[in-house]
Amino acid sequence: MAAVHAARPKTIRELHLDDVDLGNRRLTLTGRARPLDDLTRTLLLAWLQHRGRRWPGTANPHLIINQQTAMTTRAVSENWLTESCRGLTATLEALRVDRQLEEALTHNGDPLHLAAVFGIDDTTAIRYATIARQLLETTAEQHDPAGSREPKGPNHP
């Protein structure tokens, strides 16, 4: 959810079973319906099968549950959710940020696209778009716009 849909850990923890519509291939994150991609759909199906086998009688409405929450209606704790990433560079938050930046780069730093896709506020969308444009300009500057065959780089100014 963090790597594909840029969902925050809190959003992932609070997802309900009703937020997943496998038949219509939709996923609702923070009240916004999004298309359900093949990777997320495959992982959700595997998780739901595991969840059904492990806790067949649970009444917990949350998508993600564990041994402690299966007998309640509470969401899993943030610590439990982020435990698998502890000590790694790829934390859920880092994956979320990387996903938003990747989308900004793919769409040439369009803040309106970012706001529409991720439901982020204008200020955040503009910040990601600005960073993406700076990265895109830096990359473009590394290529010779005149088409010169002379090598570019630290040893060839």
Side-chain angles (χ1 to χ4, degrees):
M1 300 293 177
V4 175
H5 297 281
R8 293 182 179 278
K10 181 179 189 290
T11 301
I12 297 169
R13 289 179 40 242
E14 293 176 353
L15 273 174
H16 284 192
L17 293 168
D18 292 346
D19 294 327
V20 178
D21 184 352
L22 294 171
N24 290 316
R25 298 182 68 96
R26 305 295 291 165
L27 175 66
T28 303
L29 295 170
T30 60
R32 299 176 61 95
R34 300 177 47 113
L36 189 57
D37 60 285
D38 290 337
L39 174 62
T40 305
R41 184 178 183 278
T42 300
L43 294 172
L44 280 171
L45 284 169
W47 168 252
L48 290 170
Q49 285 178 338
H50 169 75
R51 184 184 191 276
R53 281 192 309 271
R54 181 81 166 94
W55 301 287
T58 185
N60 192 318
H62 292 90
L63 176 65
I64 308 295
I65 61 174
N66 61 19
Q67 189 171 352
Q68 288 75 38
T69 62
M71 302 310 281
T72 71
T73 56
R74 290 178 306 149
V76 295
S77 70
E78 185 173 353
N79 285 339
W80 182 87
L81 183 65
T82 58
E83 182 70 28
S84 61
C85 295
R86 205 170 304 284
L88 301 175
T89 303
T91 64
L92 292 176
E93 189 62 20
L95 290 170
R96 182 187 70 78
V97 168
D98 284 352
R99 174 64 184 100
Q100 288 178 331
L101 182 56
E102 187 265 337
E103 189 74 17
L105 289 167
T106 302
H107 288 83
N108 298 316
D110 180 359
L112 294 175
H113 174 78
L114 295 174
V117 169
F118 299 117
I120 56 180
D121 65 47
D122 297 347
T123 305
T124 303
I126 290 169
R127 189 175 36 196
Y128 276 104
T130 301
I131 292 167
R133 280 192 227 108
Q134 289 171 348
L135 289 170
L136 291 167
E137 287 172 11
T138 301
T139 302
E141 289 171 359
Q142 292 175 353
H143 298 285
D144 185 15
S148 170
R149 295 184 184 263
E150 293 182 26
K152 295 283 184 192
N155 296 330
H156 302 14

